[in-house]
Amino acid sequence: MRETAEQPSDRDDIETAIDADDLQVTYADGTEAVRSVSLTIPRGEFFGFLGPNGAGKTTTIKVLATLLDATGGGVRVNGFDAAESSRAIRESIGYMAQETSVDEELTARENLKFACEAYGVPRGERADRIDELLDLVDLAEVADKRSEDFSGGMKKRLDVATALVHQPPLVFLDEPTTGLDPKARNKLWEYFRAINDRGTTIFLTTQYLEEADQLCDRLAVIADGEIVATGEPAELKRRVGGEILDIELADSQDAADAEEAAAVVREADLLGADATIDPTEEGLQITSRQARSRGTDVLVALRDAGIGVTGFNVRAPTLDDVFLAITGETTGEGEDAAAATAPDDPVAGEVSDE
Ligand SMILES: Nc1ncnc2c1ncn2[C@@H]1O[C@H](COP(=O)(O)OP(=O)(O)OP(=O)(O)O)[C@@H](O)[C@H]1O
């Protein structure tokens, strides 16, 4: 890190990577993108920030990374006040934006050299640091190839390395694996874990709830510019209140039948007062502490009412269920996951991702 006149003013803050107090952002056109966000993220945490499209995630990240001024509230990052010491903050963070920052005219090594210059990494340290980062993200073998031939996954890995050249103690990753195939995504997860194991605090936004579940120590869910839930992934799943019974109704049944099936299950009163019974595209989704023990009774009640059932499954809640319960929306992960299984933008003469 370059020397700066601005120093963290409060020792307590040094243990706290991010402290946002009632953060607000209203854009010039009047859009209240962030209404009130308060977050305290200790050093070393792997923190996930989730929310439906347009909830205010990127706006919050931009304020924390001092790329945008808040219109209300206070922010301290790495012990520096965002309103007074934006340069010091920028020098002490890495930021991987949704869009790639790779310069395709340059090789992987040249991209990293350029980032070293931009961040003021001392000349004598640059070569070793670049080699170490190329190794970390498995790009050493293609270090001197022009990055225009890299696959999407390779460019993302180069983006990760670029965000780390100045060894920042805090890294922001804004949807870092969107659009990647599962293999490329898994590789990136390894690097993120490795960086976090070395002590780097990570602030991640993602639309893949499995990603948040696999990587994050703690999560916050934002909806309409406000935090609506915070907790460890397991804690949030427990809040769903039981297990999930998915029931698939026969193809011949339509939406009205699903409503009728839900009414039959409610009337049968088998699952306790706190159960939720919702029609879905396939049939019914039931959340209940008795989902396992009373599941077959539910199926019998449906059969007795003349409703055809073609399949059922009892399972533990996932973060998708949490997300749906909290925000009433899905992340759109299904569509994206389908896209993500497609090849990763192959281009003519592409360098292999292996
Ligand atoms: N420059 C801008 N001017 C006006 N409104 C904006 C601007 N940027 C974002 N918004 C609006 O602010 C709200 C929050 O946007 P933001 O990009 O922070 O959400 P997000 O949670 O990151 O969404 P996504 O998952 O789609 O990236 C949205 O309603 C968006 O349309």
Side-chain angles (χ1 to χ4, degrees), residues 271-292:
L271 298 164
D274 55 354
T276 60
I277 302 159
D278 298 306
T280 62
E281 273 179 30
E282 290 77 30
L284 288 183
Q285 187 175 82
I286 295 170
T287 308
S288 165
R289 290 194 169 76
Q290 279 102 45
R292 199 166 289 274

Side-chain angles (χ1 to χ4, degrees), residues 8 21 56 73-74 103-104 111 146 169 185 200 223 235 261 269 291 309 317 348:
D21 181 21
D103 184 336
E104 296 195 342
N111 266 287
R146 265 162 74 110
R185 189 176 297 164
T200 307
E235 198 180 324
D269 197 18
V309 171

